[in-house]
Amino acid sequence: MFSPSSTKAAWWLATFFSVFVTGEMPIQAELEPEFLQALENHTVTQGRDVHFTCVVNHLSNYRVAWIKSDSKAILAIHTNMVALNPRLSVTYNNHNTWKLHVSNVQANDSGTYMCQVNTDPMKSQMGHLSVVIPPDIVDSVTEGSSAQEGGSIRLTCTATGVPPPTVLWRREHNRPIVFRHDGGRERKVVDSHKGETLELAHVQRTDMGAYYCIASNGIPPTISRRYHVEVHFIPQVKVTNQLVGAPLGSDVELQCFIEASPKAMNSWYREDALLSDKLTENPKLRVSETIMNEYSLWINLTIKSLAPADYGTYVCASVNALGKMESQVSLHRLELSMNGFGAEEPMVSGAAWQRARNAPSHRARPAASHAHQYFLTQHLPPQLYALLLTVLRYIHSF
Ligand SMILES: *[C@@H]1O[C@H](CO)[C@@H](O)[C@H](O)[C@H]1NC(C)=O
Ligand SMILES: *[C@@H]1O[C@H](CO)[C@@H](O)[C@H](O)[C@H]1NC(C)=O
Ligand SMILES: *[C@@H]1O[C@H](CO)[C@@H](O)[C@H](O)[C@H]1NC(C)=O
């Protein structure tokens, strides 16, 4: 090994002899080391590899060193590593190019790196390394939340990343987010909400569903998390018509609309039947469900070819953890009218009229007649009602 001073002495000796022999100073001896290009700045995603390139001409016997300038730590001299960091290495192309490699870049590798030559005064140049980190969502807490109608729900989404991510809340299917203030009297409707927490006060059943927290900071990939919001309430049960008249032998459909959350047990039963009498076991009857959304559905009861025993009171009921609600339909018999109009079109009130299976009502005008019927069914005995209905429909058909 040569010490730097002995190397230098030897170099001067060589120069002396070359001057002595040729009578000229070698051109190289006058040239100081110089950098050929600036050190780069890098923005790198955590986990990737990166390198700085330092190109020095006329280095002669000087040495290139790499220094982390914020910590003043010497990382490497020539191709010898000084820092005890296995992710750092230096390569030299045996000409004029030195490279400092940083593999699997970490957040604490950010900072200013210096390529230095040990002239006096020393020469150096600097480059910056910024390490960026894609967003992550760090909450370990529950991903769903529930409240009773009128209560509050608070969702939190803590995001990390470099630079710090922006957190945005959205609802599934682009449904609007509704903020209610002042006990629900004031509403603010938005498509998205910015911030790590989403606070829903005075929640309503329409607020139910999936919410997404989306964290982004310009470094892919953007990340999102799904939260499920559930709003609980006592079931709500509504039959389309409380009074339904239908003639013997016809089919009738009783319609019932239910809203419930959490999920409810829904059923139709005969008010005057024994508890053990299951409607579903009667082959003349069919209950069909139409799901409208997460918390509402129709359950329609179809009774085929009405027999005298089928008339009576039917109950549509729904029960969940918060309570039970029911609604009744009184199904009564309509006599076929004598005057010929009704003979081909048995009269059935309300929706049942529109749906009576064995009574195709091509001449019926349900939209126009509906209001009359409904009013009448509340106040008249069925026989009189049937008669009036015939008159009304006779008028309507002109
Ligand atoms: C690197 O960044 C510094 C400071 O932001 C700037 O002065 C310098 O010119 C940049 N270097 C290059 C090669 O772009
Ligand atoms: C930098 O971070 C890495 C990974 O988090 C760690 O292993 C290393 O010890 C840290 N180095 C310093 C100097 O803090
Ligand atoms: C039940 O009745 C409602 C209201 O008329 C209707 O929208 C729904 O399609 C019906 N469901 C079935 C299965 O017939």
Side-chain angles (χ1 to χ4, degrees), residues 313-389:
T313 302
Y314 290 78
V315 181
C316 174
S318 178
V319 54
N320 72 4
L322 296 189
K324 178 177 182 176
M325 216 38 97
E326 48 185 47
S327 191
Q328 296 188 345
V329 179
S330 168
L331 176 61
H332 58 85
R333 183 172 167 179
L334 279 187
E335 303 297 342
L336 295 183
S337 72
M338 313 296 162
N339 61 11
F341 279 100
E344 50 194 70
E345 285 179 47
M347 284 152 297
V348 180
S349 77
W353 177 19
Q354 301 162 40
R355 285 169 183 274
R357 297 287 192 247
N358 59 356
S361 47
H362 28 266
R363 276 170 56 198
R365 309 217 323 228
S369 323
H370 192 87
H372 296 295
Q373 286 168 34
Y374 191 73
F375 173 76
L376 291 168
T377 52
Q378 312 267 317
H379 299 96
L380 295 176
Q383 293 80 1
L384 198 53
Y385 162 63
L387 202 69
L388 257 169
L389 200 61

Side-chain angles (χ1 to χ4, degrees), residues 23 41 53 60 71 83 167 194 202 214 254 277 283 290 343 352 367 374 395:
N41 292 329
T53 307
S60 61
S71 64
V167 175
K194 206 166 146 180
H202 208 87
I214 304 154
L254 310 181
D277 283 355
T290 312
Y374 191 73
I395 294 166

Side-chain angles (χ1 to χ4, degrees), residues 175-226:
R175 290 169 68 191
I177 297 175
V178 183
F179 292 106
R180 295 184 183 79
H181 304 283
D182 201 15
R185 280 184 289 275
E186 267 187 45
R187 279 161 43 104
K188 196 177 121 204
V189 179
V190 297
D191 285 337
S192 63
H193 171 73
K194 206 166 146 180
E196 289 196 335
T197 53
L198 180 70
E199 194 121 33
L200 302 172
H202 208 87
V203 289
Q204 301 297 307
R205 62 196 68 179
T206 49
D207 300 330
M208 216 176 321
Y211 288 70
Y212 290 94
C213 129
I214 304 154
S216 58
N217 66 352
I219 314 303
T222 288
I223 191 167
S224 71
R225 182 174 285 188
R226 190 177 196 267

